Amino acid sequence: MTDFSRLGVAAIRDGVANGEFKAVEVAEALNTRVAAAKALNAFIVETPEMAVAAAQAVDADRAAGKPLGKMAGVPIGMKDLFCTEGVQTTAASHMLEGFVPTYESTVSANLWKAGAGMLGKLNLDQFAMGSSNETSYFGNVISPWRRNDGGNAALAPGGSSGGSSSAIAARLCPAATGTDTGGSIRQPAAFVGISGIKPTYGRCSRWGVVAFASSLDQAGPMARDVRDCAIMLEAMAGFDPKDSTSLDLPVPAWEAALNSDLKGKRIGIPREYRLDGIDEDIAKMWDNGIAWLKDAGAEIVDISLPHTKYALPAYYIIAPAEASSNLARYDGVRFGLRDLPEGAGLQDMYAATRAAGFGEEVRRRIMIGTYVLSAGFYDAYYTQAQKVRALIARDFENAWASCDLILAPTAPSAAFGLGEKNADPLSMYLNDVFAVPASLAGLPAMSVPGGLDKQGLPMGLQIIGKALDEQAVLNAGLAIEQRSGFTAEAGEWW
């Protein structure tokens, strides 16, 4: 009997298309698995009936001889930042608890058109703000991984797309959507030993995605391997006239063009990413990655990205500034939570609603954003941060003169324990140090598993590419995947 939890996107799609099994069998098996994994808290809402209905439609189309979509028969998890018609969409917040959209996000609509089904809405850091999935109003997500020291300490699955990463690593779903503002696809993927790609800004529509920082937010796929990410990205991407930042370009055939032969490619190694005191396991994995790409035919070159050290502070000015503007709409008037104390006036309602509806981390970022946008500090902080952002983008443009791709670690460490960094927000923010530069420049970047650290936990390698060159990023990811020998899996303690 087929264990459908072990099949990825390509295997399920091809198996359904070839008649090896029915899509309904896959949906029912994974529904059962999702229902049994409550301990991970990966899902906020489960939608088993939707997964089965989509599968039945695929089976009927195949029986009728109709052409099947790119994701036909594949049940996925949907990060609860994407609006789904008729299904609660919360952004993992109390503010939007009970909000049921009357419309579908463009990305999710594209996936349903491609034949995918929805197992449920996945947990995340509240309004996508966090690196450990501990800021969710619905409770933290737990990674299915454990350290090899015999202890039972619960580990963070990364953030903000921690529900997505945990569900894939636990084999509850073969793939899931994520969003990446400053590393929220790549860092969670690295923490649980899966792959995830943030495409070029504008590749995937932001319409119907709850906004965090509009100039940075980008949807992307998370899956077991590189090929599955390529398949899912093809289904997700495409021009959307409803999104003014959407790129009016055809969607490339990324899966068909996958090729791990990197002859003629130059891989840049940024010297500024060699941080003082870098974790020795991370440094060793990075060296291994360099050797694997060299073995694939690539030339390794030393490069400089001189403004890298300013990326994190610039990001934590720009992103909160945009968040404070985007989240101003949650005021208790039009939709979402309304907290109206007895005898309260309008200003009192605003204050009570936002105090009750937003968690601590969201409030912190709104306060930072409001401060840097205020009249006395706009030029000193926000304007300067945007200038730094332009310099960081220019660094990458200059680097492309001597290389085609850049290789770096995804995160400065493997997964940390839940609660370990809560007392020090700056320590949490430093988790994004390697991921943020590509986000500020709007470049495609992917994390693939690079090995295990001394504690038996996954680490990720990050490939950054030129704008619109997702193909080169995917190809380099495939080359690493084929050489790393990474087959480790999380246990099933849950």
Side-chain angles (χ1 to χ4, degrees), residues 305-349:
L305 298 171
H307 295 94
T308 294
K309 64 182 177 182
Y310 304 116
L312 206 61
Y315 173 84
Y316 277 102
I317 291 172
I318 294 168
E322 294 186 15
S324 74
S325 177
N326 277 324
L327 272 61
R329 70 192 69 175
Y330 305 110
D331 54 11
V333 175
R334 287 158 292 181
F335 56 87
L337 178 71
R338 174 181 293 176
D339 192 332
L340 185 61
E342 187 175 348
L346 185 63
Q347 293 295 330
D348 296 323
M349 184 192 75

Side-chain angles (χ1 to χ4, degrees), residues 230-305:
I231 295 167
M232 192 168 173
L233 184 57
E234 280 186 46
M236 294 172 67
F239 174 62
D240 178 10
K242 297 192 293 291
D243 175 4
S244 62
T245 61
S246 178
L247 298 172
D248 191 359
L249 296 169
V251 177
W254 288 303
E255 182 196 9
L258 281 174
N259 183 355
S260 60
D261 184 353
L262 302 184
K263 287 185 179 65
K265 292 292 184 185
R266 300 163 300 168
I267 309 296
I269 308 300
R271 63 180 72 106
E272 290 80 7
Y273 283 39
R274 295 276 187 189
L275 303 176
D276 291 338
I278 189 171
D279 183 281
E280 64 179 52
D281 288 331
I282 295 290
K284 182 178 178 182
M285 173 201 61
W286 193 4
D287 290 337
N288 288 340
I290 293 169
W292 293 329
L293 293 181
K294 196 171 181 180
D295 182 68
E299 176 190 354
I300 307 299
V301 297
D302 184 56
I303 64 166
S304 176
L305 298 171

